[in-house]
Amino acid sequence: MCEATREILWASARGAVLKQNPGVALALRTGAGQATYHRFDPHRKHHLITYGAKMIAAKHQPETAQGWLSTREIQRRDYFGGEVSVVNLLAHTCCHEFAHLLQHSAGQRRYGSVHNQHFYVCLDKLHRTGAADATRTFLKDGALALGLLLPSAPFRFPHPGEECSPWQAGDLVLFGESKHEKRGQIIRVNRKTCTVAVHSPGRILRYRVPLHLLRCANTA
Ligand SMILES: [Zn+2]
């Protein structure tokens, strides 16, 4: 990620950054923890970007990747077609931190306003101009050369409210108590209910039954 930031992102922006702030340099390092950030050292005129090893580990599973801003940015801003995967997350993380460098360089990083409008102008541009794609390719090729696995399969996150429903259309179910108990067949699984068809003499009634009230007809 350090190399990708230097070879791809810094290489193409260096000229413009130096024009804004003559004499600045870029330092990149990996940290042992999760902390991942851009910082400007005014004395040494260094832009320092740190990538945390535990951040990289966290972005390898959907459960731990979910809490990171980079995951939400890919989804909400449709970066990489909105597809969250390990390689997309790591490439995007390089772009996110580099967008902070560009934001700072333009004098747009202000106290209490870090992920502001100008930050997203920088970040959008990195994705729009192909810099993000080039970063992704660089990481993929680099991992391949080192024999590292850098999965590109999209993560599947549970949607809010979409608890893994144990039911599927066709299941025979029971609901209701004692003499009101009804027996039917699930014809559709909805977000929080199932639509159940209940045969009664001469007609078919449809009920929308909350998931927790359904019982399996085969074992009840
Ligand atoms: Zn940030």
Side-chain angles (χ1 to χ4, degrees):
M1 289 174 75
C2 292
E3 277 177 42
T5 306
R6 184 176 297 285
E7 301 292 325
I8 305 293
L9 301 174
W10 178 245
S12 62
R14 190 172 170 269
V17 171
L18 286 174
K19 219 179 248 177
Q20 286 169 325
N21 296 290
V24 294
L26 173 66
L28 295 142
R29 68 173 182 196
T30 48
Q34 290 212 5
T36 298
Y37 55 87
H38 160 269
R39 187 175 287 163
F40 184 70
D41 178 343
H43 302 293
R44 300 170 70 190
K45 295 185 97 175
H46 268 180
H47 286 284
L48 175 67
I49 292 176
T50 300
Y51 296 115
K54 285 189 178 157
M55 170 279 295
I56 295 171
K59 288 177 182 172
H60 272 70
Q61 291 91 28
E63 299 76 30
T64 42
Q66 213 164 8
W68 290 79
L69 178 57
S70 42
T71 298
R72 296 199 296 281
E73 284 173 343
I74 290 174
Q75 291 173 322
R76 290 179 190 168
R77 306 185 76 82
D78 213 29
Y79 297 145
F80 299 123
E83 204 172 277
V84 180
S85 63
V86 178
V87 67
N88 288 355
L89 274 170
L90 298 185
H92 178 67
T93 301
C94 295
C95 295
H96 180 107
E97 296 313 323
F98 198 76
H100 279 309
L101 182 155
L102 297 173
Q103 173 195 28
H104 186 282
S105 181
Q108 296 288 337
R109 180 152 178 177
R110 300 195 187 93
Y111 185 75
S113 171
V114 179
H115 297 115
N116 56 22
Q117 205 182 347
H118 191 268
F119 169 78
Y120 283 108
V121 168
C122 297
L123 191 52
D124 284 349
K125 198 170 165 197
L126 290 175
H127 277 272
R128 204 179 52 243
T129 57
D133 282 326
T135 304
R136 186 185 187 278
T137 304
F138 188 98
L139 288 180
K140 261 187 101 169
D141 293 349
L144 202 65
L146 291 169
L148 293 171
L149 198 64
L150 199 53
S152 55
F155 284 168
R156 197 173 132 59
F157 297 106
H159 291 291
E162 184 199 280
E163 293 99 59
C164 275
S165 174
W167 305 108
Q168 57 183 34
D171 284 348
L172 296 173
V173 288
L174 298 171
F175 61 98
E177 297 300 326
S178 55
K179 64 176 181 167
H180 300 294
E181 186 178 78
K182 291 181 174 56
R183 186 188 175 88
Q185 187 169 27
I186 293 178
I187 52 173
R188 200 172 70 202
V189 178
N190 314 303
R191 230 157 57 87
K192 289 177 178 169
T193 61
C194 283
T195 307
V196 181
V198 175
H199 290 256
S200 65
R203 58 193 178 141
I204 297 172
L205 299 171
R206 288 171 175 226
Y207 294 85
R208 278 175 76 100
V209 186
L211 295 178
H212 68 277
L213 296 180
L214 289 168
R215 301 189 297 280
C216 179
N218 300 324
T219 55

